[in-house]
Structure formats: C-alpha cells, structure tokens
Amino acid sequence: MDIIFYHPSFNAQSWQQGLMQRLPQARVRCWHAGDNAPADYALVRTPPVEMLRGRSDLKGVFALGAGVDDILNQLHTHPDMIAPQVPLFRLEDTGMVQQMQEYAVYTVLGWFRRFDEYHLQKRQARWQPLANFSRHHFTVGILGAGVLGLGVAESLKGWGFPLRCWSRSPKLRDGIESFYGTEQLPDFLSGTRVLINLLPHTPQTKGIINQQLLSQLAPGAFVLNLARGAHLVEEDLLLALETGQVAAAALDVFAEEPLKASHPFWAYPRIAITPHNAAVTLPDAAMDYIAQAISLREGGEMPAGRVNLQRGY
C-alpha cells in the first residue's frame, strides 16, 4: 500500500513515521513535483493540482482538516484534479470538537458575565459594577449543526442558556431547538443574543453574516465566528458595532489571513481576535482516524467523513 503526503507546514517526517507505525504494511512518501509513481491514498492540505490529477486509481483522498474549501476551490477551476470515483474525506473531529467547545464556552461565559467589559474598565482604572444579564434571555444560536456545531451546543447545555441551531435539515437533540432551511432562518435569528458560526464554507454560505442577518438578532447581540472568514461581511459587522446592534464580537477567522496591522478590527476594543487557532489538527488523533479509515477502505467499507462534493461538506 502506497500513501503520498503533502502539507505546506506539517512536519512530514513525523507524519511518515506515525502513519507507518499505525499501518505497518504502508509505504508513506512525501510528494514532490514530478512524482507520478503509483499511490493508493493521498493525504493533503492545499495540494498542487498535478499531485492528484490523473490518479484515477486512488482509493481515497484525505483532507488534513475539518474544512475542504481549499480543495473545492481548486476543483472549481480544475474539475479533473480528483477523478469522480475517488472519495474525498475530511477530519470530522480528531480532537477539534473539544477545542471548539473550550473556545465557545470561554467566550460565551465571558460575555454573559461581562468580563470583557470589566477588562476594559480595569484599563481605565474604573470601578463600576454592571447589571447581570438574564440567563433565560441569553439565547445562544449556532449556525451549522454538524459534528462541530452540535458538539459546541452540547458543551453549553450545562450552563442553562436557551440553545438553538440552524442547519440544512432538521436535527433532533434534547435541549436544542432546531431550525432548518432558508424559510426558518428569520425565526432562528429572532431573539438570538449570541450567534456562533460553525457553518461549512460553500457558495451558498459565503457572506451569510451580513447586515440583513445581523439586524435580525436581538439588540446588543454577540457574534462568534469560528468557521471561515468568508462567511462574514466585515464592513457590515463594523456598522452593526457602531450602531450598537452588535455589542461585541470574537473572531478567529478572517477574509484575508494573516490580518493586516492596518485592519480596522484591531482598533475595536470589543472585538477579540485570535489567529485562526480555535481548533487545530492534532496529529495523533488525525493519524488514528486516517489509519482506521484506510483499514475500513481496504476491507471494502466506506468510513465516516466522506465529503459530498455537491454540498461542499
């Protein structure tokens, strides 16, 4: 069994060693330009088109992340990059759910207890107790109800906030109100005080967090974007902050990364910024999943995480 590996920043040697420990029958090599030797599987992040083009015998391509928009963007311009019969898989969890849960719980509780406001007051040497928010009116709405979205919702259950999610199709989970489809989006937004975005990046979701959407949230809402920068119309968020429709935001992803020092987001004290690290690929967990998935494929089964190319996730 031959596996080719390409990632612009991962330690290729540690991945080679880790995969061969888990799959003793495998030969794992780093792909370089001009390598046309046979391969059964490809592990990739933003792969060069020539790495995958013409490899119709691949049994699977594994994207080394939860999102596959880098590959789908290439497929738009190079539709022959991956043969139609070759399945594409993404990492559904591999430790990312827990990281997203940590980020979301920390951020939501910080807003609920007004810790970010107290932090600003501390910088001003200002002693001023603030009124508490009502827990029952602090509705948390999650855009996206996949593995990550539902995982975040589950982590917030114990704190007593009203929870709701919005997705393409209905989701049945105790304690989480489900909204789905375009027609139910306004009902989902109405009364939502905290909006958490964990949608996949598709042509349909690009720019979804815009002025129209933000205006339908509860006044003084909070916005947490953990998915992709392309989901957010940045100018519309700034306007909503200026008018007070949005009280604060926490952003881990941006339309252009790294975020330039001249970007206006830096000047807003109630915009928290992290450098796209809310949930990173954990090598050991990722290699465990890939090794298990390859073993299932070798046994004639289809593992979890297969991407529907029409839907984009």
Side-chain angles (χ1 to χ4, degrees):
M1 180 197 309
D2 292 291
I3 299 173
I4 49 177
F5 176 92
Y6 177 88
H7 195 290
S9 60
F10 281 1
N11 184 320
Q13 184 178 3
S14 67
W15 275 78
Q16 283 179 288
Q17 294 173 348
L19 287 165
M20 287 190 291
Q21 288 173 356
R22 292 164 171 81
L23 296 166
Q25 73 277 28
R27 294 175 294 275
V28 184
R29 69 180 189 272
C30 292
W31 182 89
H32 298 284
D35 179 355
N36 296 314
D40 299 290
Y41 298 94
L43 280 55
V44 299
R45 186 68 173 179
T46 320
V49 173
E50 61 269 27
M51 176 184 180
L52 301 177
R53 178 185 279 160
R55 294 187 179 274
S56 57
D57 293 335
L58 284 173
K59 300 175 187 177
V61 174
F62 290 88
L64 298 175
V68 292
D69 40 304
D70 58 326
I71 295 174
L72 296 181
N73 289 339
Q74 290 171 294
L75 283 171
H76 287 316
T77 52
H78 304 282
D80 61 339
M81 184 177 77
I82 298 178
Q85 70 273 20
V86 175
L88 172 64
F89 301 95
R90 64 185 179 92
L91 305 181
E92 285 192 324
D93 183 354
T94 62
M96 294 184 191
V97 169
Q98 183 175 1
Q99 294 176 76
M100 288 294 190
Q101 290 173 328
E102 293 164 350
Y103 197 117
V105 169
Y106 168 85
T107 304
V108 173
L109 290 180
W111 285 329
F112 178 66
R113 292 298 306 272
R114 309 186 74 165
F115 290 145
D116 66 321
E117 295 175 82
Y118 285 124
H119 178 69
L120 294 175
Q121 290 186 178
K122 184 261 183 183
R123 295 175 63 182
Q124 301 165 357
R126 182 181 172 200
W127 182 284
Q128 178 62 56
L130 300 172
N132 293 330
F133 287 122
S134 166
R135 188 180 306 273
H136 298 297
H137 292 96
F138 209 76
T139 299
V140 179
I142 301 168
L143 288 169
V147 173
L148 295 178
L150 289 177
V152 165
E154 291 290 337
S155 70
L156 290 166
K157 275 186 178 180
W159 300 100
F161 303 117
L163 295 172
R164 57 178 60 167
C165 67
W166 180 79
S167 54
R168 185 179 59 86
S169 57
K171 306 294 182 182
L172 300 177
R173 289 291 182 95
D174 290 342
I176 304 171
E177 189 176 6
S178 174
F179 297 82
Y180 60 96
T182 304
E183 292 184 356
Q184 293 190 12
L185 181 57
D187 291 335
F188 163 81
L189 296 170
S190 178
T192 291
R193 191 66 181 272
V194 179
L195 183 74
I196 301 175
N197 178 39
L198 281 164
L199 286 169
H201 178 208
T202 69
Q204 292 73 35
T205 63
K206 182 178 181 180
I208 190 172
I209 306 175
N210 53 28
Q211 188 277 332
Q212 182 181 9
L213 181 145
L214 294 171
S215 68
Q216 297 177 71
L217 297 171
F222 302 89
V223 175
L224 171 56
N225 190 12
L226 297 173
R228 287 290 184 267
H231 289 131
L232 173 67
V233 179
E234 295 179 345
E235 296 81 3
D236 290 358
L237 175 62
L238 291 172
L239 179 60
L241 285 160
E242 290 288 349
T243 63
Q245 173 61 17
V246 171
L251 309 175
D252 182 60
V253 288
F254 305 89
E256 184 179 348
E257 297 178 358
L259 193 65
K260 292 181 179 178
S262 59
H263 197 287
F265 280 168
W266 293 111
Y268 276 75
R270 296 203 69 189
I271 296 181
I273 292 172
T274 49
H276 201 149
N277 66 345
V280 299
T281 300
L282 301 179
D284 284 334
M287 284 188 277
D288 287 345
Y289 158 74
I290 291 168
Q292 182 182 34
I294 287 176
S295 297
L296 289 172
R297 283 293 284 153
E298 291 295 295
E301 298 182 51
M302 187 62 68
R306 185 175 185 179
V307 174
N308 182 314
L309 296 181
Q310 282 66 50
R311 292 206 306 257
Y313 56 93

